[in-house]
Amino acid sequence: VLVCPLRPVERFRDLRPEEVADLFQVTQRVGTVVERHFQGTSLTFSMQDGPEAGQTVKHVHVHILPRRAGDFRRNDSIYEELEKHDKEEEDTPASWRSEEEMAAEAAVLRAYFQ
């Protein structure tokens, strides 16, 4: 799941202090739901801030990834997988979920917040 600030900005430093607070308060709330819904036992939060950090989409967003014991042989392999994301040679649109699949998942998750 991705959490984005309401005002799109390219870099984390471009957010105003109240936007940073809001982003992380929402990230915390969404993380609780993601962990419960996907039956995780932990969470990985990830933000790549700038191209050298692996940012491929030019707006601030936080990835929330549910985790559980043994989901990767080596725990830090999650970062290698994140690095592959959106890189055409390893992650092609043909392997992505459809808009319909993502909309259905969003509808299920949205119900937790109503």
Side-chain angles (χ1 to χ4, degrees), residues 48 54 56 78-87 90:
Q48 291 79 28
T56 57
I78 183 91
Y79 302 110
E80 295 164 9
E81 290 302 313
L82 280 170
E83 191 174 317
K84 292 178 191 176
H85 186 66
D86 289 342
K87 299 244 178 2
E90 298 190 35

Side-chain angles (χ1 to χ4, degrees), residues 29-47:
R29 186 172 173 212
V30 171
T32 299
V33 166
V34 166
E35 185 173 350
R36 183 177 343 137
H37 178 77
F38 292 102
Q39 300 164 357
T41 55
S42 298
L43 295 167
T44 292
F45 297 97
S46 178
M47 179 191 321

